[in-house]
Coordinates of all heavy atoms in Angstrom, one line a residue:
Y17 N 234.9 28.1 70.5 CA 235.6 26.9 69.9 C 234.6 25.9 69.3 O 234.8 25.5 68.1 CB 236.4 26.2 71.0 CG 237.0 24.9 70.6 CD1 238.2 24.9 69.8 CD2 236.4 23.7 70.9 CE1 238.7 23.7 69.4 CE2 236.9 22.5 70.5 CZ 238.1 22.5 69.7 OH 238.6 21.3 69.3
E18 N 233.5 25.6 70.0 CA 232.6 24.6 69.5 C 231.8 25.1 68.3 O 231.6 24.4 67.3 CB 231.6 24.2 70.6 CG 232.2 23.4 71.7 CD 231.2 23.2 72.8 OE1 230.1 23.8 72.9 OE2 231.6 22.3 73.7
S19 N 231.5 26.4 68.3 CA 230.8 27.0 67.1 C 231.7 27.0 65.9 O 231.2 26.6 64.8 CB 230.5 28.5 67.4 OG 229.5 28.6 68.4
K20 N 233.0 27.3 66.0 CA 233.9 27.2 64.8 C 234.1 25.8 64.4 O 234.1 25.5 63.2 CB 235.2 27.9 65.2 CG 235.0 29.4 65.3 CD 236.3 30.1 65.8 CE 236.1 31.6 65.9 NZ 237.3 32.2 66.5
E21 N 234.3 24.9 65.3 CA 234.5 23.5 65.0 C 233.3 22.9 64.2 O 233.4 22.1 63.3 CB 234.7 22.6 66.3 CG 236.1 22.7 66.8 CD 237.0 21.9 65.9 OE1 237.0 20.6 65.9 OE2 237.9 22.5 65.2
N22 N 232.1 23.3 64.6 CA 230.9 22.8 64.0 C 230.3 23.7 62.9 O 229.2 23.4 62.4 CB 229.8 22.6 65.1 CG 230.2 21.6 66.2 OD1 230.8 20.6 65.9 ND2 229.9 21.9 67.4
E23 N 231.1 24.7 62.6 CA 230.6 25.7 61.6 C 229.2 26.2 61.9 O 228.3 26.3 61.1 CB 230.6 25.1 60.2 CG 232.0 24.7 59.8 CD 232.1 24.1 58.3 OE1 231.0 23.8 57.8 OE2 233.2 24.0 57.8
N24 N 229.0 26.5 63.2 CA 227.7 26.9 63.7 C 227.7 28.3 64.1 O 227.6 28.6 65.3 CB 227.3 25.9 64.9 CG 225.9 26.1 65.3 OD1 225.0 26.5 64.5 ND2 225.6 25.9 66.6
M25 N 228.0 29.2 63.2 CA 228.2 30.6 63.5 C 226.9 31.4 63.4 O 226.0 31.1 62.7 CB 229.2 31.2 62.5 CG 230.5 30.5 62.5 SD 231.4 30.3 64.0 CE 231.9 32.0 64.2
H26 N 226.8 32.5 64.2 CA 225.6 33.4 64.2 C 225.5 34.0 62.8 O 226.5 34.5 62.3 CB 225.8 34.5 65.2 CG 225.8 34.0 66.6 ND1 226.8 33.4 67.2 CD2 224.8 34.1 67.6 CE1 226.5 33.1 68.5 NE2 225.3 33.5 68.7
N27 N 224.3 34.1 62.3 CA 224.1 34.7 61.0 C 222.9 35.5 60.9 O 222.2 35.7 59.9 CB 224.1 33.7 59.8 CG 223.0 32.7 59.9 OD1 222.3 32.7 61.0 ND2 222.7 31.9 58.9
T28 N 222.4 36.0 62.1 CA 221.2 36.7 62.1 C 221.3 38.3 62.0 O 220.3 38.9 61.8 CB 220.5 36.5 63.5 OG1 221.3 36.9 64.6 CG2 220.2 35.0 63.7
Y29 N 222.5 38.8 62.1 CA 222.6 40.2 62.2 C 222.0 41.0 61.0 O 221.3 41.9 61.1 CB 224.1 40.6 62.4 CG 224.3 42.1 62.5 CD1 224.0 42.8 63.7 CD2 224.8 42.9 61.5 CE1 224.1 44.2 63.8 CE2 225.0 44.3 61.6 CZ 224.6 44.9 62.8 OH 224.8 46.2 62.9
Q30 N 222.4 40.6 59.8 CA 221.9 41.3 58.6 C 220.4 41.1 58.5 O 219.7 42.1 58.1 CB 222.6 40.7 57.3 CG 224.1 41.2 57.2 CD 224.7 40.8 55.9 OE1 224.5 39.6 55.5 NE2 225.4 41.7 55.2
F31 N 219.9 39.9 58.7 CA 218.5 39.7 58.7 C 217.8 40.6 59.7 O 216.8 41.3 59.4 CB 218.2 38.2 59.0 CG 216.7 37.9 59.1 CD1 215.9 37.9 58.0 CD2 216.1 37.8 60.4 CE1 214.5 37.6 58.1 CE2 214.8 37.5 60.5 CZ 214.0 37.4 59.4
E32 N 218.3 40.7 60.9 CA 217.8 41.5 61.9 C 217.7 43.0 61.5 O 216.7 43.7 61.7 CB 218.6 41.3 63.2 CG 218.1 42.1 64.4 CD 219.1 41.8 65.6 OE1 219.1 40.7 66.1 OE2 219.9 42.7 65.9
Q33 N 218.8 43.5 61.0 CA 218.9 44.9 60.6 C 217.9 45.2 59.5 O 217.3 46.3 59.4 CB 220.3 45.2 60.1 CG 221.4 45.2 61.2 CD 221.0 46.1 62.4 OE1 220.8 47.3 62.2 NE2 220.9 45.5 63.6
L34 N 217.7 44.2 58.6 CA 216.7 44.4 57.5 C 215.3 44.5 58.0 O 214.6 45.4 57.6 CB 216.9 43.3 56.4 CG 218.0 43.4 55.4 CD1 218.1 42.1 54.6 CD2 217.7 44.6 54.5
Y35 N 214.9 43.5 58.8 CA 213.5 43.5 59.2 C 213.2 44.7 60.2 O 212.1 45.3 60.1 CB 213.1 42.2 59.8 CG 213.4 41.9 61.3 CD1 212.8 42.5 62.3 CD2 214.2 40.8 61.6 CE1 213.1 42.2 63.6 CE2 214.5 40.5 62.9 CZ 213.9 41.2 63.9 OH 214.2 40.9 65.2
L36 N 214.2 45.1 60.9 CA 214.0 46.3 61.8 C 213.8 47.6 61.0 O 213.0 48.5 61.3 CB 215.1 46.5 62.8 CG 215.2 45.4 63.9 CD1 216.5 45.6 64.8 CD2 214.0 45.4 64.8
S37 N 214.6 47.7 59.9 CA 214.5 48.8 59.0 C 213.1 48.9 58.3 O 212.5 50.0 58.2 CB 215.6 48.9 57.9 OG 215.4 47.9 57.0
Y38 N 212.6 47.7 57.9 CA 211.3 47.7 57.3 C 210.2 48.0 58.3 O 209.2 48.7 58.0 CB 211.0 46.3 56.7 CG 211.8 45.9 55.5 CD1 212.4 44.6 55.4 CD2 212.1 46.8 54.5 CE1 213.2 44.3 54.3 CE2 212.8 46.5 53.4 CZ 213.4 45.2 53.3 OH 214.1 44.9 52.2
I39 N 210.3 47.6 59.6 CA 209.4 47.9 60.6 C 209.4 49.4 60.9 O 208.4 50.1 60.9 CB 209.6 47.1 61.9 CG1 209.3 45.7 61.7 CG2 208.8 47.7 63.1 CD1 209.8 44.7 62.8
E40 N 210.6 50.0 61.0 CA 210.7 51.4 61.3 C 210.1 52.3 60.1 O 209.5 53.3 60.4 CB 212.2 51.8 61.4 CG 212.5 53.2 61.8 CD 213.9 53.5 61.9 OE1 214.7 52.6 62.2 OE2 214.3 54.7 61.7
K41 N 210.2 51.8 58.9 CA 209.7 52.6 57.8 C 208.2 52.2 57.5 O 207.6 52.8 56.6 CB 210.5 52.3 56.5 CG 211.9 52.8 56.5 CD 212.7 52.6 55.2 CE 213.1 51.1 55.1 NZ 214.0 50.9 53.9
G42 N 207.7 51.2 58.2 CA 206.3 50.7 57.9 C 206.2 50.1 56.5 O 205.2 50.2 55.9
D43 N 207.3 49.5 56.1 CA 207.3 48.9 54.7 C 206.8 47.4 54.7 O 207.6 46.5 54.9 CB 208.8 49.0 54.2 CG 208.9 48.5 52.8 OD1 207.9 48.0 52.2 OD2 210.0 48.7 52.2
L44 N 205.5 47.3 54.5 CA 205.0 45.9 54.5 C 205.4 45.1 53.4 O 205.7 43.9 53.5 CB 203.4 46.0 54.5 CG 202.8 46.4 55.8 CD1 201.3 46.9 55.6 CD2 202.8 45.3 56.8
N45 N 205.6 45.7 52.2 CA 206.1 44.9 51.0 C 207.5 44.4 51.2 O 207.8 43.2 50.9 CB 206.0 45.8 49.8 CG 204.6 46.0 49.3 OD1 203.7 45.2 49.6 ND2 204.4 47.2 48.7
G46 N 208.4 45.2 51.7 CA 209.7 44.8 52.0 C 209.8 43.7 53.0 O 210.5 42.7 52.9

């Protein structure tokens, strides 16, 4: 309730998936 009221929603999932994919591939540039 408090998160929605304050528009304080989690937004880390896509970022997390991206950096984990770069680590798994050893992609330093990405």
Side-chain angles (χ1 to χ4, degrees):
Y17 171 80
E18 290 175 351
S19 293
K20 289 173 181 176
E21 278 288 290
N22 299 319
E23 297 182 347
N24 189 29
M25 306 300 288
H26 296 73
N27 64 348
T28 60
Y29 181 75
Q30 285 185 316
F31 173 76
E32 182 182 286
Q33 294 305 302
L34 277 171
Y35 82 68
L36 291 176
S37 71
Y38 290 138
I39 291 169
E40 184 180 334
K41 292 183 287 189
D43 186 350
L44 284 164
N45 290 331

